[in-house]
């Protein structure tokens, strides 16, 4: 699979003196259990799909894909291969998010109709 951003990546690496250790095809073919796909949004589908089809679990930056059809294609590939597919939303693993979910599901707050909350990082 040709990486359409390879020329841009190579130019960046030369400009900033960053060593290149191989392309994503090398990662797909490597003896690893999982891959992280931080590439530009328009190549999330082909490279994540390649990883799943190669038997690797995949963590892909957000947005996972450009549309629901692509997302469904990845979901099917992950399920068919028995692999984990995650979109990189770290907040859902934070303890306070787990606690809020527990409170809502317990019913102690009553019927929750709307939730508004700021989110930020510092």
């Amino acid at each position: 699979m040709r990486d359409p951003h390879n020329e841009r990546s190579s130019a960046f690496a030369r400009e900033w003196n960053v060593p290149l250790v191989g392309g994503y095809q090398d990662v797909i073919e490597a003896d690893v259990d999982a891959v992280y796909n931080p590439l530009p949004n328009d190549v999330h589908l082909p490279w994540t799909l390649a990883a799943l089809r190669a038997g690797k679990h995949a963590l892909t930056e957000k947005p996972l894909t450009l549309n629901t059809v692509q997302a469904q294609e990845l979901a099917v590939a992950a399920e068919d291969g028995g692999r984990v597919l995650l979109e990189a939303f770290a907040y859902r693993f934070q303890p306070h998010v787990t606690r809020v979910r527990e409170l809502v599901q317990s019913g102690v707050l009553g019927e929750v109709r709307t939730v508004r909350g700021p989110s930020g990082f510092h």
Side-chain angles (χ1 to χ4, degrees), residues 64-118:
L64 180 64
T65 60
L66 300 179
N67 57 56
T68 56
V69 172
Q70 291 180 353
Q72 186 62 39
E73 185 176 358
L74 289 181
V76 167
E79 185 175 342
D80 287 351
R83 298 291 150 223
V84 173
L85 169 65
L86 284 176
E87 186 173 24
F89 281 109
Y91 71 84
R92 68 181 173 200
F93 299 106
Q94 298 296 317
H96 64 280
V97 173
T98 300
R99 181 66 180 132
V100 168
R101 186 180 303 116
E102 290 169 353
L103 287 169
V104 169
Q105 291 173 343
S106 75
V108 71
L109 300 176
E111 180 185 357
V112 177
R113 297 181 190 173
T114 304
V115 176
R116 292 188 185 123

Side-chain angles (χ1 to χ4, degrees), residues 34-65:
V35 299
Y36 167 61
N37 183 348
L39 295 170
N41 300 348
D42 63 328
V43 288
H44 284 181
L45 175 68
W47 286 110
T48 301
L49 191 58
L52 293 168
R53 288 181 175 160
K56 289 144 184 17
H57 304 288
L59 172 64
T60 301
E61 262 312 328
K62 51 203 162 311
L64 180 64
T65 60

